Amino acid sequence: MAESNGSDGGPDHVAIIMDGNGRWAQNRGQPRLFGHRAGAARVREIVAACPDLGIRYLTIFAFSTENWKRTQAEVTGLMTLFRRYITKEAQALLAQGVRVRFIGDRDRLEPKLVALMNELEELTAGNDLVHLTVAINYGGRDEVARATKRLAREVAAGRLDPEDVDAETLARFLDTCVLPDPDLVIRTSGEARISNFLLWQSAYAEYEFTPILWPDFTKENFAEIVGRYAGRERRYGGVQS
């Protein structure tokens, strides 16, 4: 994995579980997809805020492997929203210096969406100001299982000695192999769980759980949480000298 180089004690890589879209819509007497559309618009603001906050890497949880359990109407609506977001935002992301990557299992996603994802990754591949990673059909356990399969194939083919396999070896097979581990994980909406998000990568991340629903999560809220992070002491299992 790449190394994290946060400046001024702030996080270099922030990961966000964007929760609360459905409740936000229901509180307004609207269908859940109304909240998802509002949430997509909020992503634009948070991405734009990253450079001023010294954040080079932002990873957002857009759709989990468990989200297929939602109603067919909601799932279909979300997939349509993803396609529209990519099409609408592609040129703006390119102009803003944002490099976009997608993580997760693409096999279950519709081909049109996958094609758009591939195109956006290629279009923004030369950017380096902000690295935006979008997790779609992603689950931490699923990612580790897929990584283990790839590692096992390397062992079976004789390209990797089982005795050489360690934590760093497995990390090279994860979807996030080119990214630093997250320094800070934020979950909106008041839920205090990680919901199978970046399980391996977040082993030493700091966590913030905020009651604010994602569509209401402003750049000011974001800056406040990032500011609090700078006051935390990260010891990685050690003790203060």
Side-chain angles (χ1 to χ4, degrees), residues 162-235:
E163 296 303 316
D164 293 333
V165 175
D166 56 17
E168 291 185 2
T169 307
L170 180 59
R172 296 202 301 268
F173 290 86
L174 295 173
D175 295 352
T176 56
C177 59
V178 298
L179 303 174
D181 287 342
D183 303 298
L184 172 64
V185 179
I186 300 169
R187 180 171 186 147
T188 60
S189 88
E191 303 292 347
R193 56 180 179 272
I194 59 176
S195 294
N196 200 18
F197 183 49
L198 299 179
L199 298 179
W200 180 280
Q201 300 88 337
S202 298
Y204 286 102
E206 298 291 320
Y207 279 83
E208 279 269 359
F209 300 100
T210 174
I212 302 169
L213 302 178
W214 175 248
D216 291 328
F217 188 74
T218 66
K219 61 183 180 181
E220 289 79 16
N221 299 137
F222 190 34
E224 181 181 354
I225 290 176
V226 168
R228 283 201 295 270
Y229 169 91
R232 297 190 182 190
E233 179 188 351
R234 304 181 75 199
R235 296 190 298 270

Side-chain angles (χ1 to χ4, degrees):
M1 293 186 179
E3 292 185 359
S4 179
N5 296 294
S7 60
D8 300 324
D12 193 40
H13 183 179
V14 177
I16 304 178
I17 301 172
M18 307 179 296
D19 195 19
N21 292 338
R23 272 171 284 167
W24 184 89
Q26 290 170 346
N27 290 344
R28 289 158 175 77
Q30 297 290 337
R32 291 177 60 85
L33 283 173
F34 180 79
H36 292 309
R37 286 192 289 270
R42 185 60 66 189
V43 170
R44 184 185 307 118
E45 177 181 341
I46 298 305
V47 172
C50 285
D52 288 342
L53 295 174
I55 297 167
R56 291 195 62 224
Y57 297 88
L58 177 69
T59 300
I60 57 176
F61 203 4
F63 189 88
S64 76
T65 50
E66 289 74 36
N67 285 157
W68 296 103
K69 300 174 185 176
R70 298 186 178 186
T71 66
Q72 184 61 48
E74 184 172 357
V75 170
T76 300
L78 281 167
M79 295 303 157
T80 300
L81 180 62
F82 294 151
R83 292 197 307 271
R84 290 177 178 171
Y85 180 86
I86 292 173
T87 302
K88 182 179 180 182
E89 299 293 330
Q91 290 303 318
L93 290 165
L94 177 64
Q96 292 166 8
V98 179
R99 178 169 187 172
V100 182
R101 295 180 176 89
F102 295 92
I103 59 173
D105 186 356
R106 304 187 188 193
D107 289 346
R108 192 171 177 180
L109 300 175
E110 56 185 35
K112 288 183 179 179
L113 175 57
V114 173
L116 287 171
M117 291 161 58
N118 292 337
E119 289 172 9
L120 185 56
E121 287 181 324
E122 183 176 351
L123 177 69
T124 62
N127 285 346
D128 191 47
L129 182 62
V130 177
H131 293 251
L132 173 63
T133 302
V134 184
I136 296 183
N137 195 28
Y138 173 87
R141 289 180 174 179
D142 177 72
E143 178 190 27
V144 172
R146 288 186 287 107
T148 303
K149 285 181 182 179
R150 290 192 288 268
L151 189 155
R153 292 190 189 105
E154 293 297 297
V155 171
R159 293 188 290 266
L160 183 62
D161 188 333
E163 296 303 316
D164 293 333
V165 175
D166 56 17
E168 291 185 2
T169 307
L170 180 59
R172 296 202 301 268
F173 290 86
L174 295 173
D175 295 352
T176 56
C177 59
V178 298
L179 303 174
D181 287 342
D183 303 298
L184 172 64
V185 179
I186 300 169
R187 180 171 186 147
T188 60
S189 88
E191 303 292 347
R193 56 180 179 272
I194 59 176
S195 294
N196 200 18
F197 183 49
L198 299 179
L199 298 179
W200 180 280
Q201 300 88 337
S202 298
Y204 286 102
E206 298 291 320
Y207 279 83
E208 279 269 359
F209 300 100
T210 174
I212 302 169
L213 302 178
W214 175 248
D216 291 328
F217 188 74
T218 66
K219 61 183 180 181
E220 289 79 16
N221 299 137
F222 190 34
E224 181 181 354
I225 290 176
V226 168
R228 283 201 295 270
Y229 169 91
R232 297 190 182 190
E233 179 188 351
R234 304 181 75 199
R235 296 190 298 270
Y236 300 97
V239 295
Q240 186 177 14
S241 58

